[in-house]
Amino acid sequence: MSNNGTYVAPQVKTQVKTGTSNSSKTIFHFSAGLCSGLTSSILLQPADLLKTRVQQSQQSLLPTLKGILSSPNPVRGLWRGTLPSALRTGVGSALYFTSLNSLRQAIAQANTPLLASKTVTQSSSALPKLSNTANLATGAVARVAAGFVMMPVTVIKVRYESDLYAYRSILGASRDILRTEGFRGLFAGFGATAARDAPYAGLYVLIYEQLKRQLGSMAARGPNNNSDGTPQAASSSGIHFASGALAAGMATAITNPFDAVKTRLQLMPAKYGNMLRAVRLMVKDEGMRSLFGGLGLRMTRKALSSALAWTVYEELILRAEKRWETNHQVALST
């Protein structure tokens, strides 16, 4: 803890200062992102499925849930689409966290005045500390890039979760989409997805980093800290989880209309055509409330999934950074 009582997290070294190769660290960031994405997607698949069904039919949550629970195999019904969801979220999170870290490392090392942070206090993040502008930009760019790569899996996942299609395998779904809609069908709704993901991810990283600094300062004033004034591991995980949940809830509320439009475009591209046409039809036929369909479910799911994913990722990276730093110190002393 600094002299003015501000929480200062354990120093995280940049990649060029330790003895571990950059390629090894990139692989570890990819693996940590994959682990965090798989954890959140498998545990929270029922919430994602219910959100898709509510947005599809504009039916309320309770009748939708009752319909699934009354089916012959309710557990299987709630976890329908888990495989494409796990592929999308797992690999997508791996790509996102790896590219986000690379972008932030490059900006931090470039030390650009507009993008570098003007303060010396670090948060509990494994990522470099940047300005608000850089947090917005890097979050948006990394998310849209990962979303584009994973778009075909996303389309298949959404259709798996709906009850409009009877796909039995990812390969069968891919063949059907290519046969009926062509290659373009695998990227249905990308415009709405990018319009949702760019502001969501940018706002998320910005709010997440701000919340961690605030919660870290509060934790540093607590009685159960380490001898150097930093929170214990349990407190650090709590900061990551709470910051992730709150940041996701705020960003989700702002960007939900794009998600509702994206779902319609991916389920019924022939009817809705493009993002502007989809908005007009949804508002005309169902009113403004259609743009906020599934908001409660999406906020709950996003809050939990983001909190889980970022907590797992941050904790894995923080522990790895400590190990890399220890190895580096041992190498220097020999």
Side-chain angles (χ1 to χ4, degrees):
M1 186 162 55
S2 65
N3 294 333
N4 62 3
T6 303
Y7 166 53
V8 181
Q11 297 293 312
V12 177
K13 304 295 183 181
T14 57
Q15 292 183 359
V16 296
K17 294 184 180 180
T18 69
T20 306
S21 67
N22 288 342
S23 60
S24 296
K25 290 190 174 185
T26 299
I27 292 172
F28 191 88
H29 277 273
F30 186 92
S31 300
L34 179 65
C35 180
S36 67
L38 289 174
T39 301
S40 63
S41 64
I42 294 173
L43 290 177
L44 300 174
Q45 176 60 18
D48 214 23
L49 180 138
L50 288 169
K51 184 266 296 182
T52 297
R53 295 286 179 90
V54 169
Q55 288 182 338
Q56 165 200 323
S57 62
Q58 284 300 295
Q59 195 175 38
S60 62
L61 172 60
L62 191 56
T64 303
L65 181 59
K66 284 182 177 179
I68 297 174
L69 293 178
S70 63
S71 64
N73 196 332
V75 174
R76 184 176 181 180
L78 286 172
W79 267 269
R80 177 177 169 81
T82 297
L83 179 57
S85 180
L87 286 174
R88 168 192 173 264
T89 306
V91 179
S93 293
L95 293 172
Y96 169 68
F97 282 121
T98 303
S99 58
L100 180 64
N101 177 69
S102 298
L103 287 170
R104 292 172 69 92
Q105 291 283 356
I107 291 174
Q109 291 170 16
N111 199 27
T112 305
L114 177 64
L115 301 178
S117 175
K118 298 180 180 179
T119 63
V120 297
T121 303
Q122 291 191 357
S123 71
S124 59
S125 179
L127 300 171
K129 182 175 173 58
L130 303 177
S131 68
N132 291 339
T133 302
N135 284 331
L136 280 167
T138 55
V141 171
R143 186 66 181 179
V144 171
F148 177 78
V149 174
M150 299 306 299
M151 197 65 205
V153 182
T154 302
V155 173
I156 294 171
K157 164 193 169 293
V158 171
R159 295 190 182 187
Y160 244 107
E161 292 170 350
S162 77
D163 57 6
L164 297 178
Y165 300 86
Y167 296 143
R168 296 184 178 275
S169 68
I170 293 177
L171 182 59
S174 302
R175 288 174 175 171
D176 183 71
I177 293 172
L178 288 172
R179 179 178 57 82
T180 59
E181 303 169 41
F183 188 75
R184 183 178 180 180
L186 293 174
F187 289 85
F190 175 70
T193 302
R196 176 200 66 180
D197 285 352
Y200 172 85
L203 287 169
Y204 179 89
V205 175
L206 171 62
I207 298 170
Y208 178 71
E209 292 294 330
Q210 293 285 348
L211 286 171
K212 280 196 302 181
R213 283 196 286 272
Q214 295 297 322
L215 295 177
S217 296
M218 294 170 60
R221 294 192 290 269
N224 298 319
N225 296 326
N226 298 317
S227 58
D228 61 354
T230 61
Q232 296 179 358
S235 179
S236 174
S237 298
I239 290 171
H240 294 150
F241 193 91
S243 300
L246 291 171
M250 295 179 194
T252 297
I254 296 171
T255 60
N256 194 79
F258 295 110
D259 186 69
V261 172
K262 182 265 309 180
T263 299
R264 297 296 183 93
L265 287 171
Q266 290 174 340
L267 291 177
M268 293 167 278
K271 176 180 178 180
Y272 290 105
N274 57 58
M275 187 163 58
L276 292 177
R277 174 178 168 82
V279 171
R280 287 198 298 267
L281 285 177
M282 290 169 68
V283 173
K284 177 184 176 182
D285 297 341
E286 305 164 37
M288 288 295 295
R289 67 187 297 268
S290 64
L291 297 177
F292 293 91
L295 175 59
L297 279 169
R298 185 170 177 252
M299 286 184 68
T300 301
R301 196 267 182 193
K302 277 289 188 180
L304 291 174
S305 65
S306 296
L308 282 171
W310 278 78
T311 300
V312 171
Y313 172 77
E314 292 258 34
E315 293 301 317
L316 287 174
I317 295 300
L318 282 172
R319 282 162 175 72
E321 290 284 356
K322 290 178 182 179
R323 185 176 69 252
W324 293 330
E325 179 63 19
T326 299
N327 294 341
H328 179 57
Q329 294 298 331
V330 171
L332 290 176
S333 63
T334 56

